[in-house]
Amino acid sequence: MDDWKPSSLIKPFGARKKRSWYLTWKYKLTNQRALRRFCQTGAVLFLLVTVIVNIKLILDTRRAINEALGRLEPSRRRGSGPRRVLDVEVYSSRSKVYVAVDGTTVLEDEAREQGRGIHVIVLNQATGHVMAKRVFDTYSPHEDEAMVLFLNMVAPGRVLICTVKDEGSFHLKDTAKALLRSLGSQAGPALGWRDTWAFVGRKGGPVLGEKHSKSPALSSWGDPVLLKTDVPLSSAEEAECHWADTELNRRRRRFCSKVEGYGSVCSCKDPTPIEFSPDPLPDNKVLNVPVAVIAGNRPNYLYRMLRSLLSAQGVSPQMITVFIDGYYEEPMDVVALFGLRGIQHTPISIKNARVSQHYKASLTATFNLFPEARFAVVLEEDLDIAVDFFSFLSQSIHLLEEDDSLYCISAWNDQGYEHTAEDPALLYRVETMPGLGWVLRKSLYKEELEPKWPTPEKLWDWDMWMRMPEQRRGRECIIPDVSRSYHFGIVGLNMNGYFHEAYFKKHKFNTVPGVQLRNVDSLKKEAYEAEIHRLLSEAEVLDHSKNPCEDSFLPDTEGHTYVAFIRMEKDDDFITWTQLAKCLHIWDLDVRGNHRGLWRLFRKKNHFLVVGVPASPYSVKKPPSIIPIFLEPPPKEEGAPGAAEQT
Amino acid sequence: MSRINKNVILALLTLTSSAFLLFQLYYYKHYISAKNGAGVSKSKGNRIGFDSTQWRAVKKFVMLTSSQNVPVFLIDPLILELINKDFEQVKNISHGSTSECKFFCVPRDFTAFALRYHLWKNEEGWFRTAENMGFQCLKVESKDPRLDGIDSLSGTEIPLHYICRLANHAIHLVVFHERSGNYLWHGHLRLKGRVDRKFVPFRKLQFGRYPGAFDRPELQQITVDGLEVLIPKDPVHFLEEIPHSRFIECRYKEARAFFQQYLDDNTVEAMAFRKSAKELLQLAARTLKKLGVRFWLSSGTCLGWYRQCNIIPYSKDVDLGIFIQDYKSDIISAFQDVGLPLKHKFGKVEDSLELSFQGKDDVKLDIFFFYEETDHMWNGGTQAKTGKKFKYLFPKFTLCWTEFVDMKIHVPCETIDYIEANYEKPKGDFTDQGKAFAFRKLSLPPVMPVIIHHELSFLHILLEDQNMCSGTVQIEHPVMLGMISVCTVQCSSH
């Protein structure tokens, strides 16, 4: 029974089996000693060889793994095989243009009344990806300058594709033509009225294809041209710069391999910095205030805006969130370039309501992401930010906490033009909400604005809505005399070049760092009234018989305070003010910058006060002999040129 | 002769094989240690000294974080417990004078640290440095729950957990995020797709099984085993929070779907009610917290949270639940002190207690006390008009944290079972079309006058409980009368 163990059972069985195997073997080889010896050595050798091969295999595998880990990236890149060729099709005609790369349409424009001019596409020479897509309406003035600017920014070696829709020569000036010639184009420099033209070339390299058709007569267009050409792709090494391997350059490389048209940020030799480390602000009260940047699909604007924001003293990048309205890639790339947080928002509704919904989502998200914050700074993508923007806020933000009669602090003075703003240390209280870089109190948003924010079906402007008396409830905003933001956007929902030139271009913008604001606490409700009374008491009354639109209305002095009284029958009677604003070339599209019927601005370096009589409580300061100025509005047709231009 | 030869061959075979095996073993060991980045060349360090792998890993990690200015703090329950035991001694030990490694050398798989994310300046740089120092790090990311409440926002992912391995010890860095309601939140550690599931024994992790919510701890610096670390100032409180930290998110997506179907009530009255209900809830929460009484959202308020992540504008009151064992006699006076006078008191502490306080703007605060039986919980309800008593049964439940009207607050983890027991039981999901409609009918004023939902839930119990069928039930409510007759019909058919 002891033998009934598995081991004792198996042993004889296995041995017997082995023996029988050996026996047969032995039988065969009994008398063949040589053969047997040979087999034995053979077996040993075989074993040794196996061992050696095994060891070698292990060692090799290990080396291979190490090598693979070390060289994963380059080997993958190198392994792209033989150079590929892109098959590019470019079509130019009166009413339609398209560009196809390897059968994929990357540009198609056959919309009527749109997309006139020269369409330019930039391809990555190594991957064939579209890096930039622009259209320059060179039928209109100045567009050729933008084209020259853009083409000069494109890195050498990139593949350039140009095609004309409708007309592209009327305002194509010599500089632009010279540039096209330098790109190797034959027809481009000689482009004529209503010619069609398609061009493919490498920047700083050979022309890869060009077709051109002259317009036979002034009233007709050139024949449609279709250019088909092969573009050889170069290797990735050639397409990339050799920047030092740092965290920043990794971001830069990722950005520069995807998009074009950002100039020196992608320059190989001397790239412009993407980290700015401005001086920290001593005793910064807004260090932990979140900054929400509201953006759409204007990546070049966003780039410019973020550069100025990140260069401002006292900025803390981890408090910045960029909210992009729509799933656009390029703005996200710009955000990633600067290492910031970006959030995309599915567009809801249309036009102004879309912007308004985007604002709501962004503000709610900001306070959710920073639950500790009591304020938020709200910026837009088409603003330059002054170097002392945060310093300005740090010095004034306590007012929002201490004074319930305040609605916001804004960095923008609607009436602060080059010729009407002077003193960077001076602050005002105004009844209108200027926006364009402002601070929002959390309690105001959470308790009042958010619950009744206009719903998507209401096509309202969020800022117009915020200015409505139901929302503002008599509260005021603090603004600086000299704006701490600059509105540079020319393209936009309610914006065009003419409008911008008329109302925004000549806006004053502070460039002095570390301005110490004067007497900030005098901006509180009661103190400000005292301050205004003091100002009015010492102000010299101007000669009311003169025309206020004339330059001579104010004497040629400096540093004086003057006051003028205009007619203002009721709180909402702005007839004379609007005419005055128009002739002073300041904001006249609606009333801005008033405080209880008083406007404060600068003229010829003198402080200039305008009081509306009798609606303003400051009318008491009017000497009895003075008759308030009245300006007649012009007839209706010319009455609202601003509004007409705006559309 | 042949036998000897065979033996020789066999011996040779065995020799080479064992040599080969030995080599393989040696190589394997070498390979593994090389891969772990730590030369385990010397002794394994089993003695209680400063060379255990745990201590070394922690030391390296503390060095790494302090060099990068990352303010991590220790949250490991095991070590905090030990520190807490002889807290005085630990506090008195001056820097560097420790003789024995008492805390960080305790054998364990993980050491848990935490970090408040918004204090982390250079995450990428930190990660790179960690890897250069020999740590192998696993990063667990997820989308930001703070953006879930907002329609249509998609942000970049936020880091939730880092697990950094050094030799055979791992540091678990829990990333805390600030949430509205003055608390810290950490996410669920969910391994995605390609992650090596054997990277560390994930099951033994102390944090990350569920999302968690904690009060924001104040920190203090102490020297433990020669290492300077930050720990919560009140380790006892923090340790108490850990087992009850489970957090559940409001179901924002379902709430949006609900509002798409039944437009939100944005009238001035609805907004005013929401505002005062919110203020009342916040006041009640503050008062109960001060008393140290656990409570949760019940009835209509709980339904509001579950169904629409907000206060139901037509619910007219705020309902809370409290376990009877947490009852304190000074609850009533505490509420009175903050301006909430007692309106009704039903039942006794021993049996079906219910308190009702009068808040501002005619908003009522109802507190139901819950009694625990072996297999269920129950609370009593009394109808104010008739004085009739009802009993509402609930399946057993536990409490979870959630976020509601900018507050960290408790709800039953098994919310749906709780609500179903609280209300008439719909067969499907609450957000189902038909059921949602039924629900709407229950509480929407335009359809019928507000029904005190307890009555309905009572009926529900009534229908199930045959014993009560024989009793006389009288409810003087115009809408209820019809339903009573239904009940009677059903009862008589038995």
Side-chain angles (χ1 to χ4, degrees), chain A residues 521-581:
Chain A
D521 282 330
S522 73
L523 270 296
K524 288 185 188 169
K525 197 173 163 71
E526 282 81 27
Y528 193 69
E529 291 313 310
E531 169 74 7
I532 296 292
H533 277 280
R534 188 189 62 77
L535 264 177
L536 284 169
S537 302
E538 60 178 51
E540 300 159 45
V541 179
L542 287 163
D543 182 356
H544 280 54
S545 62
K546 285 187 183 167
N547 182 354
C549 293
E550 298 277 318
D551 208 37
S552 61
F553 186 61
L554 269 93
D556 291 316
T557 54
E558 260 186 43
H560 287 239
T561 306
Y562 295 107
V563 61
F565 298 91
I566 60 167
R567 194 194 289 180
M568 182 173 162
E569 297 297 342
K570 294 189 295 300
D571 279 347
D572 57 351
D573 168 22
F574 298 115
I575 296 170
T576 302
W577 166 254
T578 307
Q579 294 317 309
L580 184 62

Side-chain angles (χ1 to χ4, degrees), chain B residues 35-61:
Chain B
K35 203 178 163 194
N36 275 347
V40 199
S41 48
K42 287 185 288 174
S43 71
K44 261 187 123 188
N46 274 335
R47 65 191 179 89
I48 312 293
F50 290 99
D51 52 357
S52 76
T53 43
Q54 287 91 345
W55 186 80
R56 260 184 291 157
V58 172
K59 186 187 173 191
K60 247 189 173 173
F61 183 76

Side-chain angles (χ1 to χ4, degrees), chain A residues 341 343 369, chain B residues 142-149 155-158 177 179 185:
Chain A
R341 181 187 313 110
I343 290 176
L369 290 173
Chain B
S142 170
K143 65 187 176 71
D144 197 330
R146 292 170 297 189
L147 300 179
D148 276 0
T156 35
E157 301 217 311
I158 50 168
H177 295 268
R179 297 282 300 254
W185 171 90

Side-chain angles (χ1 to χ4, degrees), chain A residues 143-373:
Chain A
E143 284 278 309
D144 62 330
E145 293 161 21
M147 185 173 86
V148 170
L149 204 67
F150 174 74
L151 289 178
N152 279 331
M153 278 199 287
V154 172
R158 302 274 188 238
V159 179
L160 284 173
I161 301 173
C162 303
T163 174
V164 171
K165 183 180 174 188
D166 192 357
E167 214 299 309
S169 73
F170 190 53
H171 271 103
L172 193 68
K173 296 280 158 51
D174 286 345
T175 336
K177 286 184 175 170
L179 180 68
L180 291 179
R181 192 175 296 116
S182 76
L183 290 172
S185 165
Q186 301 279 317
L191 196 66
W193 173 254
R194 290 183 173 174
D195 288 357
T196 50
W197 174 55
F199 170 83
V200 179
R202 200 182 282 280
K203 187 164 180 200
V207 176
L208 300 161
E210 185 166 22
K211 265 188 183 171
H212 173 233
S213 167
K214 275 215 95 51
S215 151
L218 214 57
S219 58
S220 59
W221 284 261
D223 294 328
V225 291
L226 176 61
L227 170 67
K228 286 187 181 187
T229 181
D230 286 341
V231 175
L233 287 178
S234 54
S235 70
E237 276 87 2
E238 286 168 43
E240 279 189 3
C241 298
H242 300 283
W243 295 306
D245 188 37
T246 63
E247 187 56 46
L248 290 180
N249 281 340
R250 253 186 292 265
R251 293 204 311 243
R252 191 195 295 278
R253 186 166 294 125
R254 217 174 303 142
F255 181 76
C256 294
S257 65
K258 274 184 87 176
V259 292
E260 258 294 352
Y262 291 84
S264 54
V265 74
C266 294
S267 151
C268 280
K269 272 192 200 134
D270 185 20
T272 186
I274 52 172
E275 195 179 52
F276 306 94
S277 356
D279 296 337
L281 211 56
D283 190 26
N284 189 348
K285 301 244 175 23
V286 289
L287 192 66
N288 292 319
V289 175
V291 178
V293 179
I294 316 286
N297 189 18
R298 295 181 287 178
N300 286 74
Y301 283 9
L302 185 62
Y303 173 77
R304 173 171 166 181
M305 188 272 163
L306 290 178
R307 280 185 67 94
S308 77
L309 176 63
L310 291 170
S311 311
Q313 274 182 14
V315 67
S316 47
Q318 66 271 19
M319 300 305 286
I320 299 172
T321 314
V322 182
F323 294 93
I324 297 160
D325 191 17
Y327 289 88
Y328 303 113
E329 266 184 54
E330 204 169 318
M332 234 12 196
D333 294 333
V334 172
V335 174
L337 171 72
F338 290 112
L340 299 174
R341 181 187 313 110
I343 290 176
Q344 291 172 315
H345 179 227
T346 318
I348 304 168
S349 194
I350 48 159
K351 288 189 184 163
N352 294 336
R354 170 172 166 177
V355 177
S356 161
Q357 291 310 304
H358 182 50
Y359 257 87
K360 184 187 181 189
S362 307
L363 295 178
T364 306
T366 303
F367 288 120
N368 278 4
L369 290 173
F370 299 93
E372 298 280 86

Side-chain angles (χ1 to χ4, degrees), chain B residues 398-413:
Chain B
T398 49
L399 294 180
C400 278
W401 290 113
T402 192
E403 188 177 309
F404 186 60
V405 293
D406 295 334
M407 252 190 296
K408 183 183 89 164
I409 210 160
H410 270 134
V411 288
C413 300

